[in-house]
Amino acid sequence: MAVEAATAGGVMIASRMDGFMDSVLDGETGFLVEPKSAPDWAARITEVASWPAKTRRVFTDRAMARAKTHFNWERVAREVLDVYRARQR
């Protein structure tokens, strides 16, 4: 969901936990906030909601490009293969 949001031009805000730590590049493809911290969530949501159109466009354009290069299938497949090879040793 996080990668898809970034590549579709959304601004992802997610908890700093589990799979989001791997799928959100904090400050690049979205933002990670502390779980169970309503003040952190409110502050980030308020910040993003108040961005002028140009700021939002610059962020989402960069996030889309970064997500497409970082989360591409070639890199993912190569890293999975590296894990399998390391386990064989």
Side-chain angles (χ1 to χ4, degrees), residues 51-66:
W51 284 352
K54 182 178 181 181
T55 301
R56 179 177 301 279
R57 187 173 52 256
V58 167
F59 182 88
T60 57
D61 287 351
R62 285 184 186 159
M64 288 168 56
R66 179 71 169 118

Side-chain angles (χ1 to χ4, degrees), residues 3-78:
V3 175
E4 291 85 351
T7 58
V11 179
M12 183 70 174
I13 301 172
S15 286
R16 188 180 301 279
M17 59 185 292
D18 300 332
F20 291 124
M21 299 283 292
D22 295 322
S23 61
V24 176
L25 303 174
D26 194 29
E28 294 182 56
T29 63
F31 298 99
L32 294 169
V33 295
E34 293 304 315
K36 300 182 182 181
S37 175
D40 288 351
W41 279 90
R44 184 59 75 182
I45 292 167
T46 300
E47 176 194 347
V48 171
S50 70
W51 284 352
K54 182 178 181 181
T55 301
R56 179 177 301 279
R57 187 173 52 256
V58 167
F59 182 88
T60 57
D61 287 351
R62 285 184 186 159
M64 288 168 56
R66 179 71 169 118
K68 287 176 182 176
T69 58
H70 184 74
F71 296 108
N72 69 67
W73 281 115
E74 181 181 333
R75 184 193 67 80
V76 171
R78 184 177 56 251

